Coordinates of all heavy atoms in Angstrom, one line a residue:
M1 N -0.2 1.6 -16.9 CA 0.2 2.1 -15.6 C -0.9 3.0 -15.0 O -1.5 3.8 -15.7 CB 1.5 2.9 -15.7 CG 2.4 2.6 -14.6 SD 4.0 3.4 -14.8 CE 4.9 2.2 -15.8
L2 N -1.1 2.9 -13.7 CA -2.2 3.6 -13.1 C -1.6 5.0 -12.6 O -0.5 5.0 -12.0 CB -2.7 2.9 -11.9 CG -3.4 1.5 -12.2 CD1 -3.7 0.8 -10.9 CD2 -4.6 1.7 -13.0
A3 N -2.3 6.0 -12.8 CA -1.9 7.4 -12.3 C -2.5 7.7 -10.9 O -3.6 8.2 -10.9 CB -2.3 8.4 -13.3
T4 N -1.8 7.3 -9.9 CA -2.4 7.5 -8.6 C -2.5 9.0 -8.2 O -3.3 9.3 -7.4 CB -1.5 6.8 -7.5 OG1 -0.2 7.3 -7.6 CG2 -1.5 5.3 -7.6
S5 N -1.8 9.9 -8.9 CA -1.9 11.3 -8.6 C -3.3 11.8 -9.0 O -3.7 12.9 -8.5 CB -0.8 12.1 -9.4 OG -0.9 11.9 -10.8
T6 N -4.0 11.1 -9.9 CA -5.3 11.6 -10.3 C -6.4 10.8 -9.5 O -7.6 11.1 -9.7 CB -5.6 11.4 -11.8 OG1 -5.4 10.0 -12.1 CG2 -4.6 12.2 -12.6
M7 N -6.0 9.9 -8.6 CA -7.0 9.2 -7.8 C -7.2 9.9 -6.5 O -6.3 10.5 -5.9 CB -6.4 7.8 -7.5 CG -6.3 6.8 -8.6 SD -5.6 5.3 -8.0 CE -5.7 4.3 -9.4
D8 N -8.4 9.8 -6.0 CA -8.7 10.3 -4.6 C -8.2 9.2 -3.6 O -7.9 8.1 -4.0 CB -10.1 10.7 -4.5 CG -11.1 9.6 -4.6 OD1 -10.8 8.4 -4.4 OD2 -12.3 9.9 -4.9
A9 N -8.3 9.5 -2.4 CA -7.8 8.6 -1.3 C -8.6 7.3 -1.3 O -8.1 6.2 -1.1 CB -7.9 9.3 0.0
E10 N -9.9 7.4 -1.6 CA -10.7 6.2 -1.6 C -10.3 5.2 -2.8 O -10.3 4.0 -2.6 CB -12.2 6.5 -1.8 CG -13.1 5.3 -1.7 CD -14.6 5.7 -1.7 OE1 -14.9 6.8 -1.2 OE2 -15.4 4.9 -2.2
Q11 N -10.0 5.8 -3.9 CA -9.6 5.0 -5.1 C -8.2 4.4 -4.8 O -8.0 3.2 -5.1 CB -9.5 5.8 -6.3 CG -10.9 6.3 -6.8 CD -10.8 7.3 -7.9 OE1 -10.0 8.3 -7.8 NE2 -11.6 7.2 -8.9
R12 N -7.3 5.1 -4.1 CA -6.0 4.6 -3.8 C -6.2 3.5 -2.7 O -5.5 2.4 -2.8 CB -5.1 5.7 -3.3 CG -4.6 6.6 -4.4 CD -3.5 7.6 -4.0 NE -3.7 8.3 -2.7 CZ -4.2 9.5 -2.6 NH1 -4.7 10.1 -3.7 NH2 -4.3 10.0 -1.4
F13 N -7.1 3.6 -1.8 CA -7.4 2.6 -0.8 C -7.8 1.3 -1.5 O -7.3 0.2 -1.2 CB -8.4 3.0 0.2 CG -8.9 1.9 1.1 CD1 -8.1 1.3 2.1 CD2 -10.1 1.3 0.8 CE1 -8.5 0.2 2.8 CE2 -10.5 0.2 1.6 CZ -9.7 -0.3 2.6
T14 N -8.7 1.4 -2.5 CA -9.2 0.3 -3.2 C -8.1 -0.4 -3.9 O -8.0 -1.7 -3.9 CB -10.3 0.7 -4.2 OG1 -11.4 1.3 -3.5 CG2 -10.8 -0.5 -5.0
L15 N -7.2 0.3 -4.6 CA -6.1 -0.2 -5.2 C -5.2 -1.0 -4.3 O -4.8 -2.2 -4.5 CB -5.3 0.9 -5.9 CG -3.9 0.5 -6.5 CD1 -4.1 -0.3 -7.7 CD2 -3.0 1.7 -6.7
V16 N -4.9 -0.4 -3.1 CA -4.0 -1.0 -2.2 C -4.6 -2.3 -1.5 O -4.0 -3.3 -1.4 CB -3.5 0.0 -1.1 CG1 -2.8 -0.7 0.0 CG2 -2.7 1.1 -1.7
A17 N -5.9 -2.1 -1.1 CA -6.6 -3.2 -0.5 C -6.7 -4.4 -1.4 O -6.5 -5.6 -1.0 CB -7.9 -2.8 0.0
D18 N -7.1 -4.1 -2.7 CA -7.2 -5.2 -3.7 C -5.9 -5.9 -3.9 O -5.8 -7.2 -4.0 CB -7.8 -4.7 -5.0 CG -9.2 -4.3 -5.0 OD1 -9.9 -4.6 -4.0 OD2 -9.7 -3.6 -5.9
L19 N -4.8 -5.2 -3.9 CA -3.5 -5.7 -4.1 C -3.1 -6.6 -2.9 O -2.6 -7.7 -3.1 CB -2.5 -4.6 -4.4 CG -1.1 -5.1 -4.8 CD1 -1.1 -5.9 -6.0 CD2 -0.2 -3.8 -5.0
L20 N -3.3 -6.1 -1.7 CA -3.0 -6.8 -0.5 C -3.8 -8.1 -0.5 O -3.2 -9.2 -0.2 CB -3.3 -6.0 0.7 CG -2.3 -4.9 1.1 CD1 -2.9 -4.0 2.1 CD2 -1.0 -5.5 1.6
A21 N -5.0 -8.1 -0.8 CA -5.9 -9.3 -0.8 C -5.3 -10.3 -1.8 O -5.2 -11.5 -1.5 CB -7.3 -8.9 -1.1
E22 N -4.9 -9.8 -3.0 CA -4.4 -10.7 -4.0 C -3.1 -11.3 -3.7 O -2.8 -12.5 -3.7 CB -4.3 -9.9 -5.3 CG -3.7 -10.7 -6.5 CD -3.3 -9.8 -7.6 OE1 -4.1 -8.9 -8.0 OE2 -2.3 -10.1 -8.2
M23 N -2.2 -10.4 -3.2 CA -0.8 -10.9 -3.0 C -0.6 -11.8 -1.8 O 0.2 -12.7 -1.8 CB 0.1 -9.7 -2.8 CG 0.4 -8.9 -4.1 SD 1.5 -7.5 -3.8 CE 3.1 -8.3 -3.4
F24 N -1.4 -11.5 -0.7 CA -1.2 -12.2 0.5 C -2.4 -13.0 1.0 O -2.5 -13.4 2.1 CB -0.8 -11.1 1.6 CG 0.4 -10.3 1.2 CD1 0.3 -9.0 0.9 CD2 1.6 -10.9 1.1 CE1 1.4 -8.2 0.5 CE2 2.7 -10.2 0.7 CZ 2.6 -8.8 0.4
E25 N -3.3 -13.2 0.1 CA -4.5 -14.1 0.3 C -5.2 -13.6 1.6 O -5.6 -14.4 2.4 CB -4.1 -15.5 0.4 CG -3.5 -16.0 -0.9 CD -3.1 -17.5 -0.9 OE1 -3.3 -18.1 0.2 OE2 -2.5 -18.0 -1.9
L26 N -5.5 -12.3 1.6 CA -6.2 -11.7 2.8 C -7.7 -11.6 2.4 O -8.0 -11.4 1.2 CB -5.6 -10.4 3.1 CG -4.2 -10.4 3.6 CD1 -3.6 -9.0 3.7 CD2 -4.0 -11.1 4.9
E27 N -8.6 -11.5 3.4 CA -10.0 -11.3 3.1 C -10.2 -9.8 2.8 O -10.0 -9.0 3.7 CB -10.8 -11.7 4.3 CG -12.3 -11.6 4.0 CD -13.1 -12.0 5.2 OE1 -12.7 -12.9 6.0 OE2 -14.2 -11.5 5.4
R28 N -10.6 -9.5 1.6 CA -10.7 -8.1 1.1 C -11.6 -7.3 2.0 O -11.3 -6.2 2.4 CB -11.1 -8.1 -0.3 CG -11.5 -6.7 -0.9 CD -10.3 -5.8 -0.9 NE -10.6 -4.5 -1.4 CZ -11.1 -3.5 -0.8 NH1 -11.4 -3.6 0.5 NH2 -11.4 -2.4 -1.4
G29 N -12.7 -7.9 2.5 CA -13.7 -7.1 3.3 C -13.2 -6.8 4.6 O -13.7 -5.9 5.3
A30 N -12.1 -7.4 5.1 CA -11.6 -7.2 6.5 C -10.5 -6.1 6.5 O -10.1 -5.7 7.5 CB -11.0 -8.4 7.0
L31 N -10.1 -5.6 5.3 CA -9.1 -4.6 5.2 C -9.6 -3.2 5.4 O -10.6 -2.8 4.8 CB -8.3 -4.7 3.9 CG -7.7 -6.1 3.6 CD1 -7.1 -6.1 2.2 CD2 -6.7 -6.5 4.6
R32 N -9.0 -2.5 6.3 CA -9.4 -1.1 6.7 C -8.2 -0.2 6.6 O -7.1 -0.6 6.7 CB -10.0 -1.1 8.1 CG -11.1 -2.0 8.4 CD -12.4 -1.5 7.9 NE -13.5 -2.4 8.1 CZ -14.1 -3.1 7.2 NH1 -13.6 -3.1 6.0 NH2 -15.1 -4.0 7.5
L33 N -8.4 1.1 6.5 CA -7.3 2.1 6.5 C -6.5 1.9 7.8 O -5.2 2.0 7.7 CB -7.9 3.5 6.5 CG -8.3 4.0 5.1 CD1 -9.0 5.3 5.3 CD2 -7.2 4.1 4.2
E34 N -7.1 1.6 8.9 CA -6.3 1.5 10.2 C -5.7 0.1 10.4 O -5.0 -0.1 11.4 CB -7.2 1.9 11.3 CG -8.4 1.0 11.5 CD -9.6 1.4 10.7 OE1 -9.6 2.3 9.9 OE2 -10.7 0.7 10.9
S35 N -5.9 -0.8 9.4 CA -5.3 -2.2 9.6 C -3.7 -2.0 9.6 O -3.2 -1.5 8.7 CB -5.7 -3.1 8.4 OG -7.1 -3.3 8.5
N36 N -3.1 -2.6 10.6 CA -1.7 -2.5 10.7 C -1.1 -3.7 9.9 O -1.5 -4.8 10.0 CB -1.2 -2.7 12.2 CG 0.3 -2.5 12.3 OD1 1.0 -3.3 11.9 ND2 0.7 -1.4 13.0
L37 N -0.2 -3.3 9.0 CA 0.4 -4.3 8.0 C 1.0 -5.4 8.8 O 1.0 -6.6 8.4 CB 1.4 -3.6 7.1 CG 0.8 -2.6 6.2 CD1 1.9 -1.9 5.4 CD2 -0.2 -3.1 5.2
Y38 N 1.7 -5.1 9.8 CA 2.5 -6.1 10.6 C 1.7 -6.8 11.6 O 1.7 -8.1 11.6 CB 3.8 -5.4 11.2 CG 4.5 -4.6 10.1 CD1 4.4 -3.2 10.0 CD2 5.3 -5.3 9.1 CE1 5.0 -2.5 9.0 CE2 5.9 -4.6 8.1 CZ 5.8 -3.2 8.1 OH 6.5 -2.5 7.1
A39 N 1.1 -6.1 12.5 CA 0.4 -6.7 13.6 C -1.0 -7.4 13.2 O -1.3 -8.5 13.6 CB 0.1 -5.7 14.7
D40 N -1.7 -6.7 12.4 CA -3.1 -7.2 12.0 C -3.0 -8.1 10.8 O -3.8 -9.1 10.7 CB -4.0 -6.0 11.6 CG -4.2 -5.1 12.8 OD1 -4.1 -5.5 14.0 OD2 -4.5 -3.9 12.6
L41 N -2.2 -7.8 9.8 CA -2.2 -8.6 8.6 C -1.0 -9.6 8.4 O -0.9 -10.3 7.5 CB -2.1 -7.6 7.4 CG -3.2 -6.6 7.4 CD1 -3.1 -5.7 6.2 CD2 -4.6 -7.2 7.5
D42 N -0.1 -9.6 9.4 CA 1.0 -10.6 9.5 C 1.9 -10.5 8.3 O 2.4 -11.5 7.7 CB 0.4 -12.0 9.6 CG 1.5 -12.9 10.2 OD1 2.4 -12.5 10.9 OD2 1.4 -14.1 9.9
I43 N 2.1 -9.2 7.8 CA 3.0 -9.0 6.7 C 4.4 -8.7 7.3 O 4.5 -7.9 8.2 CB 2.5 -7.8 5.8 CG1 1.2 -8.3 5.1 CG2 3.5 -7.3 4.9 CD1 0.5 -7.2 4.3
D44 N 5.4 -9.4 6.8 CA 6.7 -9.1 7.3 C 7.4 -8.1 6.4 O 6.9 -7.6 5.4 CB 7.5 -10.4 7.5 CG 7.8 -11.1 6.1 OD1 7.8 -10.5 5.1 OD2 7.9 -12.4 6.2
S45 N 8.7 -7.8 6.7 CA 9.4 -6.7 6.0 C 9.7 -7.1 4.6 O 9.6 -6.3 3.7 CB 10.7 -6.4 6.7 OG 11.5 -7.5 6.9
I46 N 9.9 -8.4 4.3 CA 10.1 -8.8 2.9 C 8.8 -8.7 2.1 O 8.8 -8.2 1.0 CB 10.6 -10.3 2.9 CG1 11.9 -10.5 3.6 CG2 10.7 -10.8 1.4 CD1 13.1 -9.7 3.1
D47 N 7.7 -9.0 2.7 CA 6.4 -8.8 2.1 C 6.1 -7.4 1.8 O 5.6 -7.0 0.7 CB 5.2 -9.3 3.0 CG 5.2 -10.9 3.1 OD1 5.8 -11.6 2.3 OD2 4.7 -11.3 4.1
A48 N 6.5 -6.5 2.7 CA 6.3 -5.0 2.5 C 7.1 -4.5 1.4 O 6.7 -3.7 0.6 CB 6.7 -4.3 3.8
V49 N 8.4 -5.0 1.2 CA 9.2 -4.7 0.1 C 8.5 -5.2 -1.2 O 8.5 -4.4 -2.2 CB 10.6 -5.2 0.2 CG1 11.4 -5.0 -1.1 CG2 11.3 -4.5 1.4
D50 N 8.0 -6.4 -1.2 CA 7.3 -6.9 -2.4 C 6.1 -6.1 -2.8 O 5.9 -5.8 -3.9 CB 6.9 -8.4 -2.1 CG 8.0 -9.4 -2.1 OD1 9.1 -9.1 -2.5 OD2 7.8 -10.5 -1.5
L51 N 5.4 -5.6 -1.7 CA 4.3 -4.7 -2.0 C 4.7 -3.4 -2.6 O 4.1 -3.0 -3.6 CB 3.5 -4.5 -0.7 CG 2.4 -3.5 -0.7 CD1 1.3 -4.0 -1.6 CD2 1.8 -3.2 0.7
A52 N 5.8 -2.8 -2.1 CA 6.3 -1.6 -2.6 C 6.7 -1.7 -4.1 O 6.5 -0.9 -4.9 CB 7.4 -1.1 -1.8
V53 N 7.4 -2.8 -4.4 CA 7.8 -3.1 -5.8 C 6.6 -3.3 -6.7 O 6.6 -2.7 -7.8 CB 8.7 -4.4 -5.8 CG1 9.0 -4.8 -7.2 CG2 10.0 -4.1 -5.1
R54 N 5.6 -4.0 -6.2 CA 4.4 -4.2 -7.1 C 3.7 -2.9 -7.3 O 3.2 -2.6 -8.4 CB 3.5 -5.2 -6.4 CG 2.3 -5.6 -7.2 CD 2.7 -6.6 -8.3 NE 1.5 -7.0 -9.0 CZ 0.7 -7.9 -8.7 NH1 1.0 -8.7 -7.6 NH2 -0.4 -8.2 -9.4
L55 N 3.6 -2.1 -6.3 CA 3.0 -0.8 -6.4 C 3.7 0.1 -7.4 O 3.1 0.8 -8.2 CB 2.8 0.0 -5.1 CG 1.7 -0.6 -4.1 CD1 1.9 0.0 -2.7 CD2 0.4 -0.3 -4.7
K56 N 5.1 0.1 -7.3 CA 5.9 0.8 -8.3 C 5.6 0.4 -9.7 O 5.5 1.1 -10.7 CB 7.3 0.8 -7.9 CG 8.2 1.7 -8.9 CD 9.6 1.9 -8.5 CE 10.2 2.8 -9.5 NZ 11.5 3.3 -9.0
Q57 N 5.6 -1.0 -9.9 CA 5.3 -1.5 -11.2 C 3.9 -1.1 -11.8 O 3.8 -0.8 -12.9 CB 5.4 -3.1 -11.2 CG 6.7 -3.6 -11.0 CD 6.7 -5.1 -10.7 OE1 5.7 -5.7 -10.4 NE2 7.9 -5.8 -10.8
M58 N 3.0 -1.0 -10.9 CA 1.6 -0.7 -11.3 C 1.4 0.8 -11.5 O 0.6 1.2 -12.4 CB 0.6 -1.1 -10.2 CG 0.5 -2.6 -10.1 SD -0.6 -3.1 -8.8 CE -2.2 -2.6 -9.4
T59 N 2.1 1.6 -10.7 CA 1.8 3.1 -10.8 C 3.0 3.9 -11.3 O 2.8 5.0 -11.7 CB 1.6 3.6 -9.3 OG1 2.8 3.4 -8.5 CG2 0.4 2.8 -8.7
G60 N 4.2 3.3 -11.4 CA 5.3 4.0 -11.8 C 5.9 4.9 -10.7 O 6.9 5.7 -11.0
K61 N 5.4 4.9 -9.5 CA 5.8 5.7 -8.4 C 6.5 4.8 -7.4 O 5.9 3.8 -6.9 CB 4.7 6.5 -7.8 CG 4.1 7.5 -8.7 CD 3.1 8.3 -7.9 CE 2.7 9.5 -8.8 NZ 1.9 10.4 -8.0
G62 N 7.7 5.2 -6.9 CA 8.3 4.5 -5.8 C 8.1 5.3 -4.5 O 7.9 6.5 -4.6
L63 N 8.2 4.6 -3.5 CA 8.1 5.3 -2.2 C 9.5 5.7 -1.7 O 10.5 4.9 -1.7 CB 7.5 4.3 -1.1 CG 6.1 3.8 -1.5 CD1 5.7 2.8 -0.4 CD2 5.1 4.9 -1.6
Q64 N 9.7 6.9 -1.3 CA 10.9 7.4 -0.7 C 11.3 6.5 0.5 O 10.5 6.1 1.3 CB 10.8 8.8 -0.2 CG 10.5 9.8 -1.3 CD 11.8 10.1 -2.1 OE1 12.9 9.8 -1.7 NE2 11.6 10.7 -3.3
P65 N 12.6 6.2 0.6 CA 13.0 5.3 1.8 C 12.6 5.8 3.1 O 12.2 5.1 4.0 CB 14.6 5.3 1.7 CG 14.8 5.6 0.2 CD 13.7 6.5 -0.3
E66 N 12.6 7.2 3.3 CA 12.2 7.7 4.6 C 10.7 7.6 4.8 O 10.3 7.4 6.0 CB 12.7 9.2 4.8 CG 12.1 10.1 3.8 CD 12.9 10.2 2.5 OE1 13.8 9.5 2.2 OE2 12.6 11.1 1.7
V67 N 10.0 7.6 3.8 CA 8.5 7.4 3.9 C 8.2 5.9 4.1 O 7.4 5.5 4.9 CB 7.8 7.9 2.6 CG1 6.3 7.5 2.6 CG2 7.9 9.4 2.5
F68 N 8.9 5.0 3.3 CA 8.7 3.6 3.5 C 8.9 3.1 4.9 O 8.2 2.3 5.4 CB 9.7 2.9 2.5 CG 9.5 1.4 2.5 CD1 8.4 0.8 1.8 CD2 10.3 0.5 3.1 CE1 8.2 -0.6 1.8 CE2 10.2 -0.8 3.1 CZ 9.1 -1.4 2.4
K69 N 9.9 3.7 5.6 CA 10.2 3.3 7.0 C 9.1 3.6 7.9 O 9.0 3.0 9.0 CB 11.5 4.0 7.4 CG 12.8 3.4 6.7 CD 14.0 4.2 7.2 CE 15.2 4.0 6.3 NZ 16.3 4.9 6.7
T70 N 8.3 4.6 7.6 CA 7.3 5.1 8.5 C 5.9 4.4 8.3 O 5.0 4.6 9.1 CB 7.1 6.6 8.4 OG1 6.5 6.9 7.1 CG2 8.3 7.4 8.6
I71 N 5.8 3.6 7.2 CA 4.5 3.0 6.9 C 4.2 1.9 7.9 O 5.0 1.0 8.1 CB 4.5 2.5 5.5 CG1 4.5 3.7 4.5 CG2 3.4 1.6 5.2 CD1 4.6 3.3 3.1
R72 N 3.1 2.0 8.5 CA 2.6 0.9 9.4 C 1.2 0.4 9.1 O 0.9 -0.8 9.3 CB 2.6 1.5 10.9 CG 3.9 1.9 11.4 CD 4.8 0.7 11.7 NE 6.1 1.2 12.2 CZ 7.2 1.3 11.4 NH1 7.1 1.0 10.1 NH2 8.3 1.6 11.9
T73 N 0.4 1.2 8.5 CA -1.0 0.8 8.2 C -1.3 1.0 6.7 O -0.5 1.6 6.0 CB -2.0 1.8 9.0 OG1 -1.9 3.1 8.4 CG2 -1.7 1.8 10.5
I74 N -2.4 0.4 6.4 CA -2.9 0.6 5.0 C -3.1 2.0 4.7 O -2.7 2.5 3.6 CB -4.2 -0.2 4.7 CG1 -3.9 -1.7 4.8 CG2 -4.8 0.1 3.4 CD1 -5.2 -2.6 4.7
G75 N -3.6 2.8 5.6 CA -3.8 4.2 5.5 C -2.5 4.9 5.2 O -2.4 5.9 4.4
D76 N -1.4 4.5 5.8 CA -0.1 5.1 5.5 C 0.3 4.8 4.1 O 0.9 5.7 3.4 CB 1.0 4.5 6.5 CG 0.8 4.8 7.9 OD1 0.1 5.8 8.2 OD2 1.4 4.1 8.8
V77 N 0.1 3.6 3.6 CA 0.4 3.3 2.2 C -0.4 4.2 1.2 O 0.1 4.8 0.3 CB 0.1 1.8 1.8 CG1 0.4 1.5 0.4 CG2 1.0 0.9 2.7
V78 N -1.7 4.3 1.5 CA -2.6 5.2 0.7 C -2.1 6.6 0.7 O -2.0 7.2 -0.4 CB -4.1 5.1 1.2 CG1 -4.9 6.1 0.6 CG2 -4.6 3.7 1.0
A79 N -1.7 7.1 1.8 CA -1.2 8.5 1.9 C 0.1 8.6 1.2 O 0.3 9.6 0.5 CB -1.0 8.9 3.4
A80 N 1.0 7.6 1.3 CA 2.3 7.7 0.6 C 2.1 7.7 -0.9 O 3.0 8.2 -1.7 CB 3.1 6.5 1.0
L81 N 1.0 7.1 -1.4 CA 0.8 7.1 -2.9 C 0.2 8.4 -3.4 O 0.1 8.5 -4.6 CB -0.1 5.9 -3.2 CG 0.5 4.5 -3.1 CD1 -0.6 3.5 -3.4 CD2 1.7 4.4 -4.1
G82 N -0.2 9.2 -2.5 CA -0.7 10.5 -2.9 C 0.3 11.3 -3.6 O 1.5 11.1 -3.5
P83 N -0.1 12.3 -4.4 CA 0.8 13.1 -5.2 C 1.8 13.9 -4.4 O 2.9 14.1 -4.9 CB -0.1 14.1 -6.0 CG -1.4 14.1 -5.2 CD -1.5 12.7 -4.5
E84 N 1.5 14.2 -3.2 CA 2.5 15.0 -2.4 C 3.5 14.2 -1.7 O 4.5 14.8 -1.2 CB 1.7 15.8 -1.3 CG 1.0 15.0 -0.2 CD -0.2 14.2 -0.7 OE1 -0.7 14.5 -1.8 OE2 -0.7 13.4 0.1
R85 N 3.5 12.9 -1.7 CA 4.4 12.1 -0.9 C 5.2 11.1 -1.7 O 6.0 10.4 -1.1 CB 3.8 11.4 0.3 CG 3.4 12.4 1.4 CD 3.0 11.7 2.6 NE 4.1 11.0 3.2 CZ 4.0 10.2 4.2 NH1 2.8 10.0 4.7 NH2 5.0 9.5 4.7
S86 N 5.0 10.9 -2.9 CA 5.7 9.9 -3.7 C 6.5 10.5 -4.8 O 6.4 11.7 -5.1 CB 4.7 8.9 -4.2 OG 3.5 9.5 -4.7
T87 N 7.4 9.7 -5.4 CA 8.3 10.2 -6.5 C 8.1 9.3 -7.7 O 7.7 8.2 -7.6 CB 9.7 10.1 -6.0 OG1 10.1 8.8 -5.7 CG2 10.0 11.1 -4.9

């Protein structure tokens, strides 16, 4: 299991971007912090839940429902995985 609490934001971005590229067959080089999961990457709500489940399996950390509802960009996911916003 990966300890995201010891990762910096760049390492968490790499983890999230690599996972998005793998799960949804996205071009890794095109993924940016500001990429909108829904508008830019065509990820739907079911895909977002799948991503959250996979991140929890990998890191042992789940996203609080109120945080999950606010996530729109890759940067939001990265921030949510930080030690101050996840459980």
